[in-house]
Amino acid sequence: MDFRMNSPAGKAILAHAREGDYAHPGEEDAILAAVEGLPRDAIRRLLDVGCGRGGTADWFQRHGWGEVTGVDIDAVSIDEARQRYPEIRFVRQDVCRMEPARFSGFDLVYLFTALYAFPDQPEALRRMRLAARSGAFLLLVDYTRPAGSPPPPELGPEIGNPIESETVADTLDAAGWKLQTQEDWSDRFAGWYEDLLKRFERERDWITQTHGPDWYGYVTGWYGALRRALGEGRLGGALIRAVAKD
Ligand SMILES: C[S@@+](CC[C@H](N)C(=O)[O-])C[C@H]1O[C@@H](n2cnc3c(N)ncnc32)[C@H](O)[C@@H]1O
């Protein structure tokens, strides 16, 4: 069995527990807080990188932000997203292989807990810069870790490569982005995951009947460990905003 939260089954369980096609903490609250103060008038074309099942792309399009393109490497998620939100353009695409011929001129590039999952983050950021116009905005909601510390080992490879808050400005700069603001969202993440664990408990019967008891054990175990790591400061969360340099 493919026990990974980023597998189609993992994302389906998250979507059910969160009552929306979201695989990021905080669901709509996180989106609302992340976009606060962004100049809407300057934004018409949006790129959702690591869009998963498309709930966030749908939120932006439904709330009149403009025309959204969602990209994700996972074919099953892209198929689901296309079926559920047919008015949105979803493309199966590895972010590190995006070419300007197909992806360019975006005014806002956003990622909700996706960058941590990319094996080559500098290349992903560079490709996203190529897809953006000069002065475009980059919005990252993601996991963080203290500089020099490995990600919590009990979370295994699933936790990928959380952002190092201390070095993110340089990483962005090297890829053509200028850091604007960085907000510590660790307490928000901890609260959101507390809430998610309660939702799993409430949905125990659905998860075991639909996906089996092993999946219930996996999601509660993994997110329980994630919640503890957040409480102990070995993992954090952040909202990062940057603009595309000329
Ligand atoms: C935790 S999910 C977040 C999904 C979505 N942003 C949301 O909030 O619901 C991370 C997503 O990144 C995608 N992903 C991982 N590696 C990728 C890559 N190289 N290129 C594009 N997407 C990738 C995964 O398939 C997964 O859907």
Side-chain angles (χ1 to χ4, degrees):
M1 194 99 65
D2 182 18
F3 287 121
R4 289 181 303 113
M5 291 317 303
N6 270 338
S7 67
K11 281 183 270 192
I13 292 172
L14 284 177
H16 183 86
R18 287 181 162 136
E19 297 172 72
D21 285 318
Y22 301 121
H24 66 254
E27 301 95 34
E28 296 195 16
D29 288 351
I31 305 175
L32 278 168
V35 300
E36 203 185 309
L38 272 183
R40 281 183 77 140
D41 290 351
I43 296 168
R44 284 186 185 77
R45 297 187 60 227
L46 299 84
L47 181 62
D48 183 330
V49 178
C51 64
R53 293 164 58 101
T56 310
D58 174 60
W59 186 94
F60 275 95
Q61 191 136 316
R62 212 164 11 94
H63 287 82
W65 279 79
E67 185 193 276
V68 185
T69 297
V71 297
D72 201 288
I73 200 167
D74 172 19
V76 177
S77 293
I78 288 294
D79 281 351
E80 302 245 1
R82 282 183 184 144
Q83 274 169 33
R84 287 177 58 76
Y85 311 110
E87 67 289 354
I88 299 175
R89 178 183 173 225
F90 289 106
V91 184
R92 185 191 179 193
Q93 177 70 46
D94 178 349
V95 59
C96 289
R97 289 170 183 253
M98 280 194 312
E99 295 289 346
R102 289 188 73 203
F103 301 94
S104 64
F106 287 96
D107 306 305
L108 172 65
V109 180
Y110 65 82
L111 298 88
F112 282 80
T113 56
L115 191 76
Y116 81 96
F118 303 161
D120 189 347
Q121 293 175 355
E123 181 62 8
L125 289 165
R126 203 179 69 78
R127 296 283 177 151
M128 291 190 266
R129 171 63 192 91
L130 291 174
R133 66 159 170 82
S134 289
F137 300 93
L138 175 69
L139 210 62
L140 290 171
V141 172
D142 221 315
Y143 302 107
T144 58
R145 62 180 155 132
S149 310
E154 67 276 22
L155 294 174
E158 273 253 66
I159 195 56
N161 191 12
I163 292 168
E164 282 193 357
S165 308
E166 292 82 353
T167 55
V168 69
D170 291 343
T171 309
L172 286 167
D173 190 69
W177 298 97
K178 182 170 172 37
L179 176 70
Q180 280 196 308
T181 57
Q182 186 174 178
E183 288 176 24
D184 185 352
W185 277 20
S186 302
D187 289 343
R188 289 182 195 229
F189 268 45
W192 286 330
Y193 281 114
E194 195 68 45
D195 177 56
L196 182 64
L197 286 165
K198 289 186 188 132
R199 286 168 182 254
F200 287 149
E201 239 174 80
R202 284 201 295 271
E203 296 300 331
R204 182 180 190 140
D205 288 349
W206 180 87
I207 297 170
T208 43
Q209 278 158 25
T210 315
H211 295 278
D214 290 350
W215 260 110
Y216 182 76
Y218 182 75
V219 295
T220 50
W222 198 81
Y223 280 104
L226 180 79
R227 169 69 187 89
R228 279 192 295 283
L230 283 164
E232 292 161 5
R234 292 182 295 122
L235 193 69
L239 166 67
I240 289 162
R241 284 189 184 176
V243 287
K245 297 191 291 181
D246 289 337

